[in-house]
Amino acid sequence: MKQRKMKGQSGFTLIEMLIVVVILGIIAMVVIPQISVSTGDAKLKTLQTNLHSTRGALELYYHQHSQKYPGGVVPATKPSDVVTLADTFQAQLARYTDINGNISNTYGSTTFNLGPYVREGKLPINSFNDKNDVVIDTTTTDMTVRSSTGLNNGWKFYYQTGVLIPADGGAHDTL
């Protein structure tokens, strides 16, 4: 048998191709987990930032409203879309209020002159479940109680103690 010599043709051998594929696989095994960890870290930092800013807004509201937190009772004066305690909590932080917690959509120089306390007229999003709704607990008075087990909401607020936690099933209750 005669072997033909290929002049002017070059290419990769099968072994060279396998080595390249193995190297790319090793690089992927190293890089992909790092990206996943970075994503989880970013979500945690975002959640911590949102908690910090919302807790600051709650404390400011508390001091400007005679040591009362938002969301305890549905006020007498309010827009028609405010029905539940959760609606009240959101509206008292996102709209104009008077010292008694009554809510208005418009600013008034002598009455509805407090707030809004959160940006864009709504609570920030819980970065782990992309929700910003709130569950209000009006009965718990123990400041150490923090549980959102069984919930899949943005936030849980303990009205009596002023504690706000992520309500994403308990994974971040200690933040």
Side-chain angles (χ1 to χ4, degrees):
M1 282 197 187
K2 276 184 165 179
Q3 287 187 345
R4 282 209 260 162
K5 290 188 177 183
M6 296 185 194
K7 291 185 179 182
Q9 290 186 356
S10 63
F12 294 108
T13 66
L14 182 59
I15 298 294
E16 291 170 330
M17 292 295 287
L18 286 172
I19 290 171
V20 168
V21 168
V22 167
I23 290 171
L24 288 174
I26 291 170
I27 291 171
M29 286 178 14
V30 170
V31 170
I32 289 174
Q34 293 300 320
I35 292 170
S36 297
V37 167
S38 296
T39 302
D41 287 347
K43 283 184 174 184
L44 182 60
K45 288 292 183 193
T46 300
L47 180 65
Q48 289 172 331
T49 300
N50 288 345
L51 262 175
H52 180 75
S53 64
T54 307
R55 286 173 176 162
L58 286 167
E59 289 308 310
L60 181 58
Y61 182 97
Y62 178 82
H63 290 289
Q64 290 183 343
H65 291 84
S66 305
Q67 284 66 50
K68 289 189 172 119
Y69 287 108
V73 293
V74 178
T77 304
K78 62 181 178 43
S80 60
D81 64 332
V82 177
V83 179
T84 66
L85 290 180
D87 296 338
T88 300
F89 180 86
Q90 295 251 18
Q92 286 175 326
L93 289 177
R95 301 181 193 175
Y96 298 103
T97 58
D98 65 10
I99 191 135
N100 298 313
N102 292 307
I103 306 163
S104 176
N105 290 328
T106 56
Y107 177 81
S109 60
T110 57
T111 52
F112 297 101
N113 56 359
L114 301 172
Y117 299 91
V118 293
R119 290 183 174 196
E120 300 173 14
K122 57 188 174 185
L123 291 175
I125 290 175
N126 177 331
S127 55
F128 282 91
N129 63 10
D130 296 326
K131 295 183 177 182
N132 70 340
D133 58 335
V134 64
V135 174
I136 307 291
D137 179 326
T138 58
T139 58
T140 301
T141 58
D142 183 351
M143 190 128 183
T144 62
V145 172
R146 294 171 181 233
S147 175
S148 68
T149 304
L151 295 177
N152 187 21
N153 301 83
W155 310 103
K156 183 172 184 180
F157 182 64
Y158 292 92
Y159 175 76
Q160 296 290 335
T161 60
V163 172
L164 177 74
I165 61 171
D168 50 14
H172 304 99
D173 289 353
T174 59
L175 293 179

